[in-house]
Amino acid sequence: MEMGAGTFHTATTLRALGPDPWNAAFVQPCRRPTDGRYGENPNRLQHYYQYQVILKPSPPNIQQLYLDSLTAIGIDPMLHDIRFVEDDWESPTLGAWGLGWEVWCDGMEVTQFTYFQQMGGFDCKPVAGELTYGLERLAMYIQGVDSIYDLDYNGNGVSYGDIFLDNEKQMSEWNFEIANTETLFDLFNKAVGECENCLEAKLPIPAYEQAIKASHVFNLLQARGVISVQERASYMGRVRDLAKGSCEAYMVKNGWAA
Amino acid sequence: MADFLLELLSEEIPARMQAKARVDLERLFVAQLSDAGLKADAVTVYSTPRRLALIAKDLPAQTEAVSEEAKGPPEGAPDQAVDGFCRKNGVNRDQLEVRDVKGRPTLFAVINKPGRDTKDVLSEAIPAIIKAFPWPKSMRWGDASVSTESLRWVRPLSGIVAILGDDLVECEIDGVTSGYETVGHRFHHEGMITIGNAGDYAEKLRACHVLLDQAEREAIVREGAAKAASDGDLELVADEGLVIENAGLTEWPVPLLGGFDSAFLDVPEEVIQLTARVNQKYFICRDKSGKLAPNFVCTANIDASDGGKAIVAGNEKVLAARLSDAKFFWELDQKTALEDHAKKLSNIVFHEKLGTVADKVERVVKLAEWLASLEGTGLHRANPEQTQLAARLCKADLVTEMVGEFPELQGLMGGYYAEKEGLPEAVSNAIRDHYKPVGQGDDVPTDPVTVAVSLADKLDTLLCFFVINEKPTGSKDPFALRRAALGIATTVISNTLRLPICKILEHHYDLVFNDVKAADLAAKKAANPGEDSMQAFGHVGEKPATKLPKEILGFFADRLKVQQREAGVRHDLIDAVFALGGEDDLVRLLARVKALQAFVETLDGENLLAGYKRASNILKKENAEQSDAKPFSYTPEKAEKALIDALDAAQSNVTAAIEAEEFEKAMTALADLRAPIDQFFEDVTVNDSDEDKRTARLGLLARFRSAVHQVADFSKIEG
């Protein structure tokens, strides 16, 4: 499924709700249409990978676990400058916020580190710690290359650029210039309708997936520049209502009180 | 006497919060001590990214013992009353003492509060301080966070060191217990450090690569960055905000010099500086000729094993990517003419009750053009076509990518893009500078086109928000109207512009009103036809078209008082001139106030003011506010006659001088009244038994008062 970040995945958003412990790690392909640079920027892409880790409740040694993971993949903290720089996280579309940092490696943000405080408008009880690693950026450090496109993809002569450069060019063009906006508006409305349909049937997981679809289509519409500032707030409000509604249904389905 | 050390160890505290956290820690600690009757000789607070610390010198080992007495009921009072008294004071009946109070045996309780161990006071104070700590944002974490009532801190709190003398101060809060142990630098030191006391704390940390004192880290950043630049034959652009921020991000700061591709220097300098500063917290550098150099200084948090080579290389990569993005925006924005960017302003809401930014621009265009056409104001020097064009394009950069990324570059980017388009210099200057002056000390526009657009923009904003009744109240000024008014006043005065502000606002009123109505209508979608939308904003009585400009003028008077305070202009004198009403030319007003101030500070002025107050008091007491110029039915006394003559002369002289805007001359003319009014009070009885004389003399005083009021309302003058 297309989504802007690993945070959107059901294994993060929905599992952050309720009292049950949850520890998960997975690779999440991400799409952020407005970040497209037609393959011309060495480290900004509209499609990239995150390594998403969620630890609930947040363990007391979570920072050390994280730093050990960097060492484990070959980043020497006596050679590189690792820093925790304030970056509070807020997702208006998920009705969620948390406090944490962006972790810098030599001035580059390589990980987003967040203690979730609220999700879907509900207090997180207990709080989950989320670690979102930027895989390409970390790989650049480890391989010592200046551009994502120069990353060695398989150790056998295939570069990241071989696989994704053309993808970035074409997708940037489509996101910014070609995508049929009528179709997109239609897709948005259909996802909204289907989400509501699922909510009515008390199926929070598929409902939430439709909310994610709507969110991505909204991002595409933004990239096409067809949503005015006034409309923007109202579209975001609609997506937020869907996401919150799904979270609420998930809480209810599991019998958890807010 | 013993020194006390407190360290609150946590995960990384945001740099921007550390300064206030130190102040708060000291304040809360001192308050806790003083509640217990304790006082430290000196309290010093420190912060690093991972710890807040406090050292208090020379605390006594115990609080002082206190003995208090409470007076109870008389001896022999009912048991209930005596028991109640005992309960309240925590004593037994047999501990009560009987004393004589005015001949009556009365029960007394003596309550001895023994001194408490300071250690015990501290072990209660520490959790209290932690619970009360006012972080701007705080969070829950870990197992305890199953409850929303769990401990909150800025980031997870991981340890407490609390040592009085050499003794541990035991305390516990939400599973975090105090101890002797803390940690050193994240990467330079593994394992725990054991602290002995307040005396060895800083040095033990230093040995583990933690510089406790923020001032020391700041000095290293400040001087180290300057040195890194000069080692590269460059000069650092000093930035104290960055010094403090970098010191708040590091426990062991190491400034390092890096560079970037000089091809990025095509991008405006301000953009490069912002990118480096805001996104990366780097200093920028200039070469010997003062030009921006393709270099930066970053601050690492480690003494890297390779001397920082890898760190510099990494940071260079990041900045290159950031600048590459900025260059992308810079080039992309230029592909669209400002005129076309401006079209998108109709998508941006200026205010829900005022329509879009495009609507605002339309009004600013019309007002700026009209201002530039006003003869004799000093603004007619602005070229009308250029004024119109600049006003039309002044907000266009709001929709550019660059301003989207860096909102603080508004105006500046528009100016650059206008220059690149080859628009006249006056136009690009006006686009760039029309937001100015933004605060006291900011440059004030002088170019006529810029001034016209800047004034039109701010006057429109001011009137708009007054029309929709969104005026500043108390400390709240969400639309920065005070700043706008101050900007207008400063621009008008420093350019000596003769603008009739009320007249201008009255002229502009209809345009604003129409847009407000349109926005209102659009909002209501004609839901309540027939409702007078202006009533909805609370405008009743006098027509808002004339009432609001007067109100705004009063708003200007207040701003002017603040602005002129530094120049030593008295606020009461500004009030005295404003109170006359009708003066909306700020330049003339200020000239009059200054002349008045010079006058009231002379002996003549002081005496005249005294005479004025005496005359006013008599008039008020006699309730004789009118000055009917009746012919005299008797022969006036000598002093009366002298005053009449002086008034005849003064009235015409003052009027003539004021019309000629010769305010000093007007004051001199007024000064001529001083001797006659003094003599009048000396020789003449106002409250004469002859009704005719009394009426005539009151009339004379009223005439005197209105003569003085030609210059200013002296009743507003203090002293």
Side-chain angles (χ1 to χ4, degrees), chain B residues 613-628 680-681 685-691 693-702 705:
Chain B
K613 294 217 156 145
R614 196 165 163 189
S616 282
N617 286 339
I618 295 171
L619 288 167
K620 205 181 280 165
K621 208 167 114 202
E622 298 300 322
N623 221 352
E625 297 297 314
Q626 302 295 320
S627 65
D628 298 326
F680 178 83
F681 281 127
T685 312
V686 177
N687 211 353
D688 200 283
S689 52
D690 180 336
E691 185 61 29
K693 285 188 179 170
R694 193 173 155 271
T695 314
R697 285 167 187 169
L698 285 173
L700 210 51
L701 289 183
R705 190 178 59 177

Side-chain angles (χ1 to χ4, degrees), chain A residues 37 41 43-44 57-58 63 78-79 81 83 86 88 100-101 106-108 115 117 124 127 145-146 230, chain B residues 11-12 14 16 137 139-140 142-143 145 155 186 188 280 299-301 304-305 315 317 321 325 347 349:
Chain A
R37 294 288 182 272
N41 186 301
N43 62 3
R44 203 185 274 241
S58 64
Q63 271 190 316
M78 285 310 295
L79 201 56
D81 184 30
R83 222 91 69 71
E86 177 192 15
D88 298 341
W101 311 272
D106 299 338
M108 179 178 283
Y115 290 99
Q117 302 292 303
C124 295
V127 163
V145 297
D146 289 344
Q230 296 99 306
Chain B
E11 297 178 5
E12 275 74 357
R16 68 184 171 95
K137 276 184 190 171
M139 55 167 280
R140 298 173 294 119
D143 291 343
S145 64
R155 293 293 184 275
R186 237 186 220 301
H188 278 294
Q280 297 300 135
T299 310
N301 189 32
S305 51
N315 278 286
K317 255 186 249 179
D325 236 21
N347 287 329
V349 178

Side-chain angles (χ1 to χ4, degrees), chain B residues 327-399:
Chain B
K327 198 160 188 266
F328 175 80
F329 292 146
W330 168 242
E331 283 159 7
L332 184 72
D333 286 341
Q334 289 179 58
K335 286 181 186 164
T336 308
L338 281 177
E339 192 76 50
D340 293 319
H341 279 301
K343 286 177 189 153
K344 291 179 227 148
L345 294 173
S346 57
N347 287 329
I348 302 180
V349 178
F350 174 58
H351 181 282
E352 53 170 341
K353 289 179 181 167
L354 295 165
T356 67
V357 177
D359 297 331
K360 179 179 175 48
V361 167
E362 207 51 47
R363 291 192 303 271
V364 173
V365 168
K366 287 185 183 141
L367 182 56
E369 274 184 302
W370 189 71
L371 287 177
S373 75
L374 285 180
E375 285 295 329
T377 59
L379 269 181
H380 58 280
R381 289 181 299 124
N383 173 303
E385 287 79 29
Q386 290 180 350
T387 303
Q388 205 248 37
L389 183 62
R392 191 164 294 292
L393 301 180
C394 69
K395 306 290 178 192
D397 65 356
L398 293 180
V399 297

Side-chain angles (χ1 to χ4, degrees), chain B residues 244-263:
Chain B
I244 294 169
E245 190 171 12
N246 277 300
L249 280 165
T250 48
E251 293 201 308
W252 193 263
V254 180
L256 296 165
L257 180 70
F260 57 84
D261 189 338
S262 56

Side-chain angles (χ1 to χ4, degrees), chain B residues 464-623:
Chain B
C464 275
F465 287 102
F466 269 72
V467 167
I468 62 166
N469 213 4
E470 288 278 4
K471 299 161 204 166
T473 50
S475 61
K476 286 197 188 114
D477 184 12
F479 305 106
L481 301 187
R482 292 195 180 108
R483 195 170 74 191
L486 195 60
I488 294 166
T490 309
T491 308
V492 165
I493 290 165
S494 77
N495 287 291
T496 332
L497 299 176
R498 310 302 305 272
L499 294 179
I501 287 191
C502 282
K503 198 177 141 203
I504 293 167
L505 292 170
E506 279 170 35
H507 168 88
H508 193 56
Y509 180 82
D510 284 344
L511 271 183
V512 172
F513 180 69
N514 287 338
D515 282 355
V516 169
K517 257 201 322 205
D520 192 41
L521 234 88
K524 286 190 188 145
K525 294 235 162 56
N528 299 309
E531 188 189 337
D532 180 348
S533 62
M534 292 326 284
Q535 268 173 10
F537 298 122
H539 300 301
V540 281
E542 194 180 355
K543 213 176 141 229
T546 51
K547 189 183 131 205
L548 281 180
K550 277 189 219 154
E551 205 183 326
I552 294 172
L553 195 62
F555 189 64
F556 271 112
D558 291 339
R559 311 280 42 92
L560 208 58
K561 281 186 238 170
V562 176
Q563 185 211 31
Q564 291 293 319
R565 195 184 298 148
E566 247 173 64
V569 179
R570 279 168 54 178
H571 65 93
D572 58 327
L573 301 184
I574 294 180
D575 275 339
V577 175
F578 256 114
L580 296 179
E583 179 56 282
D584 65 347
D585 176 336
L586 298 180
V587 171
R588 191 164 59 205
L589 178 123
L590 204 59
R592 191 193 278 220
V593 170
K594 283 181 176 163
L596 179 63
Q597 180 154 355
F599 174 61
V600 295
E601 282 165 6
T602 63
L603 194 61
D604 271 349
E606 264 176 53
N607 286 325
L608 189 79
L609 181 60
Y612 169 88
K613 294 217 156 145
R614 196 165 163 189
S616 282
N617 286 339
I618 295 171
L619 288 167
K620 205 181 280 165
K621 208 167 114 202
E622 298 300 322
N623 221 352

Side-chain angles (χ1 to χ4, degrees), chain A residues 15 23 55 66 84 91 107 109 113 115 122 131-132 141 149 168 172 181-182 184 201 211 215 227 243 247:
Chain A
R15 295 286 184 164
N23 294 301
L55 302 169
Y66 167 73
F84 293 87
S91 169
E109 180 190 350
F113 190 141
Y115 290 99
F122 297 97
L131 303 168
T132 302
Y141 273 93
Y149 299 107
E168 279 302 309
S172 293
T181 56
E182 260 176 57
L184 292 177
S215 172
I227 292 190
C247 289

